Every structure is written in C-alpha cells, then in structure tokens.
Amino acid sequence: MSAGDIEHRSGRFITLEGGEGVGKTTNVTFVCDWLTARGIEVVRTREPGGTPGAEAIRELLLDPTREEAWSDDAELLLVFAARAQHLAERIRPALDRGAWVVCDRFTDATFAYQGGGRGVDLERIRTLETLVQNGLQPDLTLLLDVPLSVAAQRVAGRGAQLDRFERERDTFFEAVRATYRSRAEADARFAIIDASPSLERVQCAIAQCLEQRVAAWL
Ligand code: TMP
C-alpha cells in the first residue's frame, strides 16, 4: 500500500455535488467557514481543476467555442487526467498532513455527467476510478438537489456565457439529477440537501448535517 492511500491519512475529505444552478459555490464557502471556525485547516478546491495543469484541462473541457467535440471517451479520460493530477499534487498531500479538503465536485460528477448524461458505461468509469483513486473516497458528500425548473432559472439569472455542459438539453440534466439521486440513496456517505428553499434555510440544513456527521470526527 502506498503512502497516499486512505489508511495513512488523517485529514477528512468532503465533497459537494449537484447539477448546474444548485448553489454549490456559495455553499462550499459555507462549509469551509464552518470548519475553519472550529479550528480546522481547510483546503478548498474544485474539479475539474485545483492545480494549474488540471485547470488547463478544465478549460479544454468547458470551452464552448471549440469546433471539435470531444468523444465520450476523450472527455472521460480528460476528467480523470485532471483528477489524477489534482489528487497527486493537492488532495493527497493536504490529507496526508492532516488538513481537511473541501472539493466542489469529484467522481460522483463523472458518474452523473459522463455516466448519466452522456451514457458512458458505468463499468468504464469504475475502472478509471479504481485506477486513479486507489481506494480514496470522500468521507462525506453533500448532494445539493433542486428540481430542474428551479436550477434552470438560477443559471439563466447569472447572465454569464454558458459553458459546454450548461448548453446541454433538459434530458441530459434530468439524467444527471437521477444518477446523483440514485447514487446518494444507495450510499451512507451522502447527505441529500434540498437546495430549493432560501439560502438561509439551505445553510441551516447543511449546518445540521455537519453537526451530525462531522462533530464525531473532531
Ligand atoms: P462547475 O464546477 O462550474 O459546476 O463546472 C464544472 C462542469 O464540469 C459541470 O458542468 C460538470 C462537469 N463535470 C463533469 O462533466 N464531470 C466531472 O467529473 C466533473 C468533476 C465535472
């Protein structure tokens, strides 16, 4: 077993997941602040991205102006190439020194977007997950869940240029949401947070979840 494996680390790994427009970025800040207030060293990061090389891959993945579409396999491999770099350069070193990592998306997004959305065979994703993560999994994953109609309004309200994923059809996002929900319902690592009410109520639910799940690790 290598030094980066899960058994050797002391920090905790928390991920936030959900479709577009669920409020992940704001709530990642909330989780980081909650942990920092309890004296924990927090490394905030995101996927795809989190290191200069992985951020360069992110650009390749999200750029809506590229004329050549990625094949499903190329997209899948790019996502995992970014993840391999992120794990090696940022996530594992942080966990190994005892810091907690809070990551905006991780491999559940690959199952939801490439698996559910694009229809890539889940076995192919599991094979790459095993290869790249070597047993490392988040300790806790908050799935922020909202109906598509609410999410679409929030994305439109941002007024920013849509990236390559945000331009997908409703059927794509329905499959993304369904995949996230079925993964979350099957695995105690997840907490499903209803992210449709006001931000204040959503953060109240997140704080309650952190009290229940994280307090035991402190
Ligand atoms: P976001 O982090 O700003 O939401 O954008 C990242 C986009 O990348 C989002 O549309 C989901 C997509 N994505 C995948 O398709 N697969 C993945 O494994 C990850 C981490 C993200």
Side-chain angles (χ1 to χ4, degrees):
M1 193 151 290
S2 71
D5 287 340
I6 191 166
E7 287 78 6
H8 291 260
R9 66 192 170 86
S10 50
R12 296 281 172 171
F13 185 22
I14 298 178
T15 58
L16 279 86
E17 295 280 0
E20 315 296 321
V22 296
K24 269 185 307 91
T25 309
T26 313
N27 289 309
V28 167
T29 305
F30 179 80
V31 171
C32 291
D33 290 349
W34 192 95
L35 295 170
T36 305
R38 281 153 186 81
I40 294 166
E41 181 197 349
V42 178
V43 172
R44 176 186 181 149
T45 187
R46 69 173 181 179
E47 290 217 343
T51 79
E55 289 288 333
I57 296 174
R58 178 188 176 94
E59 288 299 311
L60 291 175
L61 282 163
L62 300 192
D63 182 0
T65 64
R66 287 182 61 83
E67 280 183 20
E68 181 191 7
W70 295 116
S71 71
D72 288 352
D73 274 351
E75 182 177 282
L76 179 67
L77 290 165
L78 283 169
V79 162
F80 271 104
R83 182 161 301 134
Q85 187 68 7
H86 191 203
L87 280 164
E89 294 297 320
R90 190 115 190 258
I91 296 178
R92 287 192 190 278
L95 294 173
D96 285 345
R97 70 166 191 271
W100 289 37
V101 174
V102 178
C103 192
D104 185 338
R105 297 191 188 281
F106 194 62
T107 305
D108 296 304
T110 314
F111 281 97
Y113 282 77
Q114 280 64 51
R118 301 265 189 250
V120 170
D121 180 359
L122 299 187
E123 267 318 306
R124 291 165 88 75
I125 303 178
R126 282 192 202 103
T127 301
L128 290 168
E129 178 185 38
T130 304
L131 183 88
V132 168
Q133 291 167 224
N134 196 22
L136 182 80
Q137 290 290 348
D139 295 292
L140 170 66
T141 298
L142 303 178
L143 174 62
L144 303 179
D145 184 56
V146 294
L148 286 192
S149 53
V150 177
Q153 273 172 14
R154 291 184 185 169
V155 171
R158 285 184 203 147
Q161 191 195 32
L162 299 182
D163 69 33
R164 214 167 52 81
F165 289 101
E166 289 165 342
R167 287 164 194 237
E168 287 293 339
R169 287 156 294 133
D170 281 358
T171 49
F172 180 93
F173 292 114
E174 274 155 17
V176 167
R177 184 179 183 217
T179 309
Y180 267 136
R181 287 183 59 98
S182 71
R183 283 178 69 73
E185 280 157 11
D187 188 343
R189 157 169 73 85
F190 284 88
I192 303 180
I193 307 285
D194 175 5
S196 15
S198 66
L199 186 59
E200 197 184 353
R201 282 178 57 197
V202 172
Q203 292 187 338
C204 203
I206 293 176
Q208 222 170 26
C209 167
L210 292 174
E211 291 287 354
Q212 281 165 6
R213 303 279 194 112
V214 169
W217 298 332
L218 298 178

